[in-house]
Amino acid sequence: MTPTRSRPHLPLLAPPRTVLAALALAAHACLPQAALAQDYPTKPVRLVVPFAAGGTTDIVARVVSNGMAAALGQPVIVDNKGGGGGAIGSLEVAKQRPDGYTLGMATVSTTASAPAINKKIGYDPLTDFTPIINIAATPNVVAVHPSFPARDHKAFLQALKANPGKYSFATSGNASIGHMQMELFKSLTGTFMTHIPYRGSGPALNDTVAGQVPIVFDNLPSALPFIKSGQLVAIAVAAPQRLAQLPGVPTFKEMGLVAVNRMAYYGVVGPKGLPRPVVDKVAAAIKRTAESPEVKKRIEDTGSLLVLNTPDEFAAQMRAELAVYQKVVETQKLTLD
Ligand code: GLU
């Protein structure tokens, strides 16, 4: 009888390559984050846009994402998570591991206007994120559907004053810069309009162009094509001076509304605790692409200014902007109810 040799259930000796891979993995897990950051990125990077497609946040993210991917050597996937005036997508970024694989677009709405008024927003814009770079500052615009009985700011004010509560305005969401600035406009001009919030400027613009809502407050990059095509009529812009793109349209400052004359901004942040080497790599990738003549032109053609500041400068800017909106909320006694 030949003795039966029982086969071991598991190989006693793992193939050497598997052992090495397991050791490497274990060693990797023990490495400090800064060391891991040297290899970053080794897989695709998700860039959360906390507004719907078609708005300026989405436009800026998509304009830089290809060049950013080329510079980082990994795909950059733009992920639209609209809602709550940008709060939903921003909260999602704040909750991720600070490994650089989830980044988010940060705007004046998500870092200043919304946190200033929404006490239940769920994140602190100054401590729950790592600022990376502010990409661009954009003018804002109030525009109307061509059926609205006004073509300029004087007639616009007259129409509002003669019909309190008759008109509504669309914005990119509750507590967004559009919402906040229009509440400020109402308070300073003694007018009344009803706010209609959307998941971003994309859908807000669509409904205004379709005539569902007569007025929209938006950032210029997304609104400009509709103004140029005559589907919307620009009434006033928030910009330091009149824009080459809309020379006939006055600034809010010219209307005597200096407080409404504030630009919007679009930057990139990570969750808090993002290692500095990751911050520097992402910032350098964005800077490189935004400074390329083609991307620079695409951004500047919308009346926007490239900012491309340092993480510390961006942090200071967020702090200052939050303080501005906190003051607006306090002095105008604005509430979300
Ligand atoms: N108005 C928003 C902001 O400045 C962005 C709107 C959008 O991208 O839909 O934060």
Side-chain angles (χ1 to χ4, degrees), residues 49-229:
V49 167
F51 293 96
T56 294
T57 322
D58 182 65
I59 293 172
V60 175
R62 287 177 199 277
V63 164
V64 297
S65 63
N66 279 348
M68 201 178 148
L72 290 173
Q74 288 289 340
V76 173
I77 296 150
V78 174
D79 187 9
N80 295 85
K81 286 264 150 78
I88 293 171
S90 302
L91 196 56
E92 171 152 340
V93 174
K95 283 194 202 142
Q96 302 302 311
R97 279 176 43 167
D99 55 12
Y101 293 101
T102 303
L103 303 172
M105 293 297 292
T107 75
V108 72
S109 298
T110 64
T111 60
S113 68
I117 196 167
N118 183 358
K119 298 291 165 246
K120 295 188 197 134
I121 200 158
Y123 61 84
D124 181 331
L126 304 183
T127 56
D128 285 335
F129 299 104
T130 304
I132 299 177
I133 191 167
N134 186 357
I135 303 173
T138 72
N140 299 317
V141 62
V142 168
V144 295
H145 185 265
S147 65
F148 190 86
R151 285 287 171 280
D152 60 48
H153 69 288
K154 284 203 184 90
F156 179 67
L157 265 180
Q158 269 166 14
L160 296 181
K161 288 200 165 156
N163 302 283
K166 176 172 176 187
Y167 300 113
S168 51
F169 65 98
T171 76
S172 60
N174 250 333
S176 65
I177 180 177
H179 183 195
M180 192 79 110
Q181 295 297 69
M182 281 302 257
E183 292 305 325
L184 186 57
F185 176 93
K186 281 161 62 178
S187 163
L188 296 174
T189 57
T191 51
F192 185 76
M193 301 166 261
T194 309
H195 178 223
I196 316 275
Y198 288 83
R199 291 168 72 82
S201 295
L205 282 165
N206 286 345
D207 270 13
T208 315
V209 167
Q212 309 282 346
V213 184
I215 304 164
V216 65
F217 183 110
D218 192 19
N219 320 107
L220 201 62
S222 38
L224 193 59
F226 296 106
I227 296 168
K228 280 190 172 158
S229 66

Side-chain angles (χ1 to χ4, degrees), residues 267-286:
V268 173
V269 295
K272 78 167 169 224
L274 201 60
R276 189 66 195 214
V278 173
V279 171
D280 291 344
K281 273 190 188 171
V282 174
I286 293 174

